[in-house]
Amino acid sequence: MSENRYELNKNLAQMLKGGVIMDVTTPEQARIAEAAGACAVMALERIPADIRAAGGVSRMSDPKMIKGIQDAVSIPVMAKCRIGHFAEAQILEAIEIDYIDESEVLSPADDKHHIDKTKFKVPFVCGAKDLGEALRRINEGAAMIRTKGEPGTGDVVQAVRHMRLIQSEINRIGSAAGDELFDIAKELRVPYDLVQYVHEYKKLPVVNFAAGGVATPADAALMMQLGAEGVFVGSGIFKSGNPEKRAAAIVKAVTNFTDAKLLAELSEDLGEAMVGINEKEIELLMAQRGE
Amino acid sequence: MLALQGAFIEHEEMLSKLGVESFEIRQKNDLLRSFDGLIIPGGESTVQGKLLKELGLLEPIRQLILEGLPTFGTCAGLLLLSKRIENDARSYLATMDITAVRNAYGRQLGSFYTEASLGTIDKIPMTFIRAPYIKEVSDSVEILATVDGKIIAARQGNQLVTAFHPELNDDFTVHRYFIDICGGE
């Protein structure tokens, strides 16, 4: 992958900022998401809550289903491949997907290696729990980062934990002395130049979104105030009572994330939120997949 | 700076490096402050267009532009200002007499970087991300730049549009040009 292509791929993520990326399983849902103001959709056969319920092995979606969603909307379409499954990624690239999510939501295909994303022309987004993970993914070629959170739970606690940890590690590196950066690079298992970048600019070199467990306009506003540059909403929308209304409310909450009065209006009468599973009640922690 | 969605911070940083102050417009109340020019950033036109309507910003901003407010739209901003979008029934501010084609270069694999001249200015960097281009312009629109025969920058009086993203490269030509439209420093 040329330097130029990587820049263009990071640039696309910049255009998504301040927006909401929604999980959809059918062309119909994709149209609802676009009409509600999604800046991109994630095409997948089953949303994380159902993947969690179904158990077993979960894989890349049927390309035909993804193409149906590409035809249904004009906004960017993303799709997930398994961690380390570069053949699935090659297939997604062949159908000209706009972004590949190398995702812990699916069953990992490789328990040691992530995909060498520098080999691809299409961009990748990857999940991270902490700064080390984020920078390792960026070193492998990820053009966008999101918190892992705990997908399919409707419980935002892990997304908050991951975002706070990433921010506090950025702050630590930002205020570290120059000669401490070498040891920090060793500790995080990442190249020195990425640590140097974080030290100089006090941010990640790519866009950073929140994901995992966001279910309400208030959740979205919380993540934005904690420093997210945009939000992924997975199960939270189409597992709720009134998807159209909830989706539109979350979009507006992300734009005006500090206006509590508006957030109060947006939070009214949204119908039933997704039921949600407490993080203590689940056996499978997807966030542990792929360090 | 219209800050509903997209890459507005990049524009703010460009302006700040040029010594120009800016503030973000996210709601109607923000329009009460005085300003000399408006930038509509790149992002998704469907998202920004919808938020413009639902936050009650569309009509007030349209009026301001019709009254002569210098306005600069990049990429999605170009689409929001276009009177017509060939492959999309939607239109938004519709103040500039051009016909645009949305996602004209295809999906992300069609995004590209090039250098081309703008008006009388020699080559400047141009980054196109799932970009539109302009298919037709009325007589009162000045064509500022073309790439491969497609119009990718134009001006009509107080309105300036580019299909590319000058805020993504370290070249201040287009922002300087817009600041001149706004009446200089």
Side-chain angles (χ1 to χ4, degrees), chain B residues 8 19 23 27 50-51 53 57 85 95-96 110 132 136 148:
Chain B
F8 46 87
F23 66 91
Q27 315 187 357
K50 180 176 193 288
L51 289 167
K53 284 178 191 161
L57 286 164
I85 304 174
T95 48
M96 191 165 175
E136 281 165 8
D148 297 330

Side-chain angles (χ1 to χ4, degrees), chain A residues 104-172:
Chain A
E104 69 282 2
V105 170
L106 306 181
S107 311
D110 190 320
D111 50 15
K112 194 165 167 62
H113 307 99
H114 280 71
I115 296 172
D116 177 1
K117 294 164 275 286
T118 63
K119 295 274 192 292
F120 289 79
K121 289 206 210 60
V122 292
F124 281 77
V125 54
C126 288
K129 299 194 296 292
D130 54 45
L131 186 64
E133 262 187 58
L135 294 179
R136 287 196 291 280
R137 297 297 87 77
I138 292 165
N139 191 44
E140 293 156 3
M144 179 179 182
I145 292 293
R146 56 171 175 75
T147 59
K148 283 181 165 172
E150 194 50 39
T153 60
D155 189 350
V156 81
V157 63
Q158 302 228 22
V160 168
R161 192 179 295 149
H162 301 160
M163 187 57 78
R164 279 200 185 269
L165 185 53
I166 290 172
Q167 298 297 352
S168 78
E169 288 180 302
I170 288 175
N171 292 339
R172 174 173 71 110

